[in-house]
């Protein structure tokens, strides 16, 4: 029988936060509201020696990416805990934004990292509806209220405006990455043009620190007896039973398109 000895030193604990999926406001995706209880618990429960982020995300909302990363960095400072990021298949765009909340980033040699850029996409259907004799009727108060309407001809002023917004968001992304990675980033090539690379090349470029997987790396740092506790957002009742809400179909297609950009 094993006796519990008072004051005996316990093996160190690493609390793991699973960040798996696209970053969106819709239910079932990664967003600050759904992840807040998970992240708070991972930093507070069990007196961890460190927190590890297990990341597999093609990105998504820049605002949600920023909110999640800011929460992680704030708690790391409050609790004085090191944070390590471990990339699985992909940490691209917003997924890489999350990885940069950690002080060290580990990747598999075949992971995908980077895609530091901003994208907006849509369709132009004005010629299609005209061909089928459909008239578009829009009534607004405010001349910019119907900008980027896919059923109207593209307005050059709208394009200038949306690109200006993208530039502002892109600058925020770049500032976040450079603040996190600092002089580890290579100056030899352009890293902020939206390109992405394998994990092995990402290490060479300074986007990641080392090739390494979560369990063996944490054992190397904290010893073979280190304990792991895994935290992740709870699935909704519909997700648990494999049901699909009709209203979530569009979001599901959008998420699949994000993964498809990286061959996944």
């Amino acid at each position: 029988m094993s006796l519990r000895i008072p004051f005996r030193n316990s093996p160190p604990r690493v609390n793991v936060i699973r960040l798996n999926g696209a970053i969106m406001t819709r239910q079932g995706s990664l967003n600050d509201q759904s992840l807040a209880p998970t992240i708070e618990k991972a930093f507070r429960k069990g007196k961890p020696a460190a927190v590890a982020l297990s990341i597999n995300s093609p990105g998504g909302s820049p605002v949600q990416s920023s909110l999640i990363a800011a929460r992680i960095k704030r708690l790391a400072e409050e609790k004085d805990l090191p944070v390590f990021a471990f990339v699985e298949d992909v940490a691209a765009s917003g997924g890489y934004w999350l990885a940069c909340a950690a002080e060290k980033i580990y990747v598999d040699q075949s992971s995908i990292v980077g895609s530091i850029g901003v994208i907006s996409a849509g369709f132009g259907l004005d010629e299609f509806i005209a061909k089928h004799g459909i008239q578009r009727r829009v009534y607004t108060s405010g001349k910019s209220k119907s900008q980027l309407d896919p059923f109207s001809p593209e307005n050059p002023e709208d394009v200038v405006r949306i690109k200006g917004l993208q530039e502002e968001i892109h600058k925020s992304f770049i500032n976040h990455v450079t603040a996190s990675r600092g002089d580890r980033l290579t100056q030899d090539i352009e890293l902020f043009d939206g390109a992405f690379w394998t994990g092995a090349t990402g290490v060479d470029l300074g986007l990641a620190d080392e090739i390494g997987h979560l369990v063996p790396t944490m054992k190397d740092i904290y010893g073979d007896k280190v304990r792991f506790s895994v935290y992740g957002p709870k699935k909704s009742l519909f997700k648990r039973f494999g049901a699909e809400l009709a209203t979530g179909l569009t979001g599901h297609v959008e998420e699949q398109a994000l993964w498809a950009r990286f061959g996944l």
Side-chain angles (χ1 to χ4, degrees), residues 62-78:
V63 173
Q64 294 302 317
S65 302
S66 178
L67 290 172
I68 296 167
R71 183 180 297 275
I72 292 169
K73 290 181 72 68
R74 173 177 59 80
L75 287 168
E77 291 175 4
E78 286 181 7

Side-chain angles (χ1 to χ4, degrees), residues 17-167:
I17 303 174
R18 290 282 297 161
L19 300 171
N20 191 340
I23 304 166
M24 299 178 175
T25 55
R26 76 180 184 90
Q27 187 177 17
S29 299
L30 301 181
N31 54 68
D32 186 58
Q33 182 179 10
S34 66
L35 283 171
T38 296
I39 296 172
E40 298 280 341
K41 187 181 296 184
F43 275 93
R44 301 182 192 282
K45 192 168 182 179
K47 297 182 179 180
V51 171
L53 310 177
S54 177
I55 300 174
N56 200 7
S57 174
S61 164
V63 173
Q64 294 302 317
S65 302
S66 178
L67 290 172
I68 296 167
R71 183 180 297 275
I72 292 169
K73 290 181 72 68
R74 173 177 59 80
L75 287 168
E77 291 175 4
E78 286 181 7
K79 299 298 182 180
D80 193 24
L81 286 174
V83 178
F84 304 93
F86 293 87
V87 179
E88 296 183 0
D89 296 278
V90 58
S93 194
Y96 186 68
W97 194 312
L98 299 184
C100 286
E103 58 188 60
K104 291 197 73 173
I105 301 174
Y106 295 85
V107 292
D108 183 88
Q109 61 182 5
S110 298
S111 298
I112 297 295
V113 294
S115 191
I116 304 167
V118 181
I119 184 172
S120 298
F123 297 95
L125 301 173
D126 53 301
E127 294 184 6
F128 174 82
I129 64 173
K131 182 178 179 181
H132 289 80
I134 302 171
Q135 294 182 350
R136 176 66 165 158
R137 297 173 181 173
V138 181
Y139 309 97
T140 70
S141 176
K143 66 176 184 179
S144 298
K145 194 64 178 178
S146 63
Q147 66 178 358
L148 301 177
D149 179 3
F151 296 100
S152 299
E154 187 173 66
N155 185 338
E157 292 182 1
D158 291 350
V159 176
V160 171
R161 179 170 296 183
I162 193 66
K163 286 189 174 181
L165 294 174
Q166 288 178 329
E167 285 298 322

Side-chain angles (χ1 to χ4, degrees), residues 166-182:
Q166 288 178 329
E167 285 298 322
E168 290 185 43
I169 298 170
H170 195 195
K171 286 179 182 177
S172 296
F173 197 169
I174 293 171
N175 290 339
H176 175 67
V177 173
T178 53
S180 173
R181 303 300 299 166

Side-chain angles (χ1 to χ4, degrees), residues 186-262:
T186 185
Q187 302 298 317
D188 296 336
I189 67 170
E190 174 60 56
L191 296 176
F192 306 126
D193 63 354
F196 50 88
W197 298 269
T198 64
T201 302
V203 172
D204 294 337
L205 297 176
L207 295 171
D209 294 286
E210 297 179 31
I211 303 295
H213 298 164
L214 196 155
V215 172
T217 300
M218 292 293 91
K219 284 187 174 183
D220 285 344
I221 296 174
Y222 294 104
D224 289 337
K225 294 184 178 180
V226 63
R227 295 177 297 166
F228 297 94
S229 295
V230 181
Y231 299 88
K234 292 183 179 180
K235 293 183 179 180
S236 68
L237 182 64
F238 290 99
K239 287 283 185 179
R240 291 178 194 174
F241 289 95
E244 188 73 47
L245 283 170
T247 54
L249 182 59
T250 301
H252 177 73
V253 172
E254 184 181 356
E255 181 172 348
Q256 289 301 111
L258 286 171
W259 286 107
R261 289 188 61 228
F262 307 101

